[in-house]
Amino acid sequence: MKRIIYISLFIFLILSVGNLYSQETEIAITIHTEGLSEFRRTGLDWSGMQFGTVINGGDGIRTGANGFAALAFTDDGSQLRIRPNCQVTMSATRDEEESLDKRIILYVGEVLINAQAMKGSMVINSPTGVATVKGTVFWVLVTEEGTTQIITIEGIVELLNRATGETVDVPAGSYGILETDGSIETGDIEDTNIPEYPDEEENIQTIELDFMDEEGNNRSVIIELENETE
């Protein structure tokens, strides 16, 4: 039986809304790393990721040949799990209800997205396509040549061809492949290889993050991560 991580986010945050749309919005927390996993803020060098690393809008993430990283978004607990040899950039803006409009650019590699209880919105950009999330669990695979594949485990994903504007829905139990020549292939999930992500072993952990609002007041966010198995 596969391990499923249920993340409960208890956010006690009192902020003025004046600058919630800045590029440095805190959008995700690192909940798991293995091997070489690094992040980089705009204009800075690459740094190692660890449990509790805060990811801001505009940050880049990369993993090495043995690297894995899992992130939880701070508005709804949606997860992004990153496999080895990935390059990703993340950004988001917050609306008035504190939900995130999430944007992920996957340049190359394989990521698993669990957005079953998603607030706000989420789109994943690749060199050839755009995947729009509709409350679902799915893989996005991008090859070095630029081919994009969607493998939908639950829910439904809309895959857009950048070049032609053509869209196709990829429902649960199926895959969609967008080739670099613009052609789209769909099929049954049983006819493709599904990547794997390692089970995490952390128990319940709590992260408390300190912030300063626009008026110079110290505020905090408390995030509780709870792992359970089925």
Side-chain angles (χ1 to χ4, degrees):
M1 189 73 66
K2 291 186 176 180
R3 181 182 302 264
I4 301 176
I5 298 182
Y6 297 91
I7 298 186
S8 299
L9 291 133
F10 302 100
I11 301 183
F12 307 104
L13 182 60
I14 304 174
L15 285 173
S16 61
V17 186
N19 196 31
L20 290 177
Y21 292 87
S22 69
Q23 187 174 1
E24 294 189 357
T25 298
E26 297 82 3
I27 62 175
I29 304 294
T30 304
I31 60 174
H32 176 244
T33 61
E34 290 186 21
L36 180 61
S37 303
E38 298 179 309
F39 76 105
R40 180 173 64 183
R41 306 207 193 282
T42 303
L44 300 179
D45 293 332
W46 289 97
S47 301
M49 295 174 63
Q50 59 186 352
F51 181 85
T53 296
V54 177
I55 300 300
N56 292 338
D59 285 357
I61 297 172
R62 68 182 183 185
T63 53
N66 64 340
F68 292 88
L71 311 174
F73 287 94
T74 56
D75 62 335
D76 58 16
S78 295
Q79 288 186 45
L80 173 68
R81 300 189 183 190
I82 305 171
R83 277 178 47 84
N85 297 316
C86 276
Q87 296 182 25
V88 176
T89 297
M90 299 176 61
S91 62
T93 53
R94 290 189 187 272
D95 61 24
E96 294 181 354
E97 297 179 353
E98 294 295 320
S99 298
L100 290 170
D101 294 325
K102 311 166 187 72
R103 295 179 296 279
I104 301 168
I105 302 176
L106 176 59
Y107 302 98
V108 66
E110 302 169 347
V111 300
L112 173 63
I113 294 165
N114 185 333
Q116 292 171 297
M118 186 181 67
K119 298 178 182 178
S121 63
M122 182 186 296
V123 295
I124 298 88
N125 292 270
S126 76
T128 52
V130 179
T132 301
V133 183
K134 300 179 179 180
T136 184
V137 180
F138 68 105
W139 285 92
V140 184
L141 289 63
V142 177
T143 67
E144 292 184 355
E145 294 75 25
T147 298
T148 301
Q149 181 176 11
I150 302 296
I151 304 174
T152 306
I153 310 300
E154 297 181 18
I156 187 170
V157 179
E158 181 185 272
L159 179 60
L160 167 69
N161 183 329
R162 284 184 182 277
T164 67
E166 178 185 1
T167 62
V168 60
D169 285 338
V170 185
S174 62
Y175 70 85
I177 298 178
L178 176 57
E179 300 287 356
T180 54
D181 63 3
S183 62
I184 298 179
E185 171 192 342
T186 58
D188 191 274
I189 199 171
E190 295 181 356
D191 298 325
T192 192
N193 295 321
I194 303 176
E196 295 182 351
Y197 190 91
D199 289 338
E200 295 89 337
E201 299 297 333
E202 293 91 351
N203 296 317
I204 295 176
Q205 303 188 56
T206 299
I207 304 172
E208 182 171 358
L209 304 175
D210 294 322
F211 300 92
M212 181 175 292
D213 65 19
E214 291 298 299
E215 298 177 355
N217 300 312
N218 292 321
R219 306 298 186 188
S220 65
V221 174
I222 300 175
I223 298 178
E224 182 180 274
L225 306 175
E226 180 177 358
N227 291 352
E228 299 179 0
T229 59
E230 285 189 344

